[in-house]
Amino acid sequence: METNRDTQAVAALSALAQEHRLALFRLLVQAGPDGLPAGAIADTLGIPASSLSFHLGHLNRAGLVSQTRRGRSLIYAADYGAMNALLGYLMENCCGGAECAAPSIQPERKTA
């Protein structure tokens, strides 16, 4: 039987399963809790405003980003609580309940 947590996880993973949305979410995570204005996101990622609006809406509906208005600007920020909840959901049955440390993904280092 599917639970509300299952439904939320599927929505979040579905939203992230697209190249532009994943890049957008990662940019917002890096930007911190203050977020970024839509124009700065568009400039950084090189995504047209109409496409950016579509992708931001998708992430917002999935609960991964928040939108606030500051003056005339819309500011978008990653929802760290939702991100941590998704990671927790994915890891909650790690190693069959045994104590384990999930491996971190380390970028390959080039050696000279």
Side-chain angles (χ1 to χ4, degrees), residues 9-112:
V10 168
L13 292 169
S14 174
L16 293 171
Q18 199 281 339
E19 180 182 358
H20 293 304
R21 288 192 292 271
L22 182 58
L24 200 163
F25 184 70
R26 292 188 71 200
L27 176 66
L28 290 175
V29 168
Q30 292 170 6
D34 290 338
L36 292 170
I41 296 169
D43 291 344
T44 301
L45 297 178
I47 299 174
S50 59
S51 296
L52 180 64
S53 179
F54 170 79
H55 293 306
L56 284 166
H58 204 84
L59 290 168
N60 187 275
R61 285 187 299 279
L64 293 170
V65 301
S66 63
Q67 171 189 317
T68 56
R69 182 171 289 284
R70 280 193 212 139
R72 297 186 319 175
S73 296
L74 289 176
I75 307 298
Y76 293 89
D79 184 325
Y80 293 98
M83 178 183 71
N84 288 331
L86 177 60
L87 292 173
Y89 173 83
L90 293 172
M91 298 295 297
E92 71 186 14
N93 295 318
C94 177
C95 302
E99 186 70 31
C100 68
S104 63
I105 299 174
Q106 298 286 331
E108 233 178 81
R109 295 184 190 241
K110 295 180 181 178
T111 56

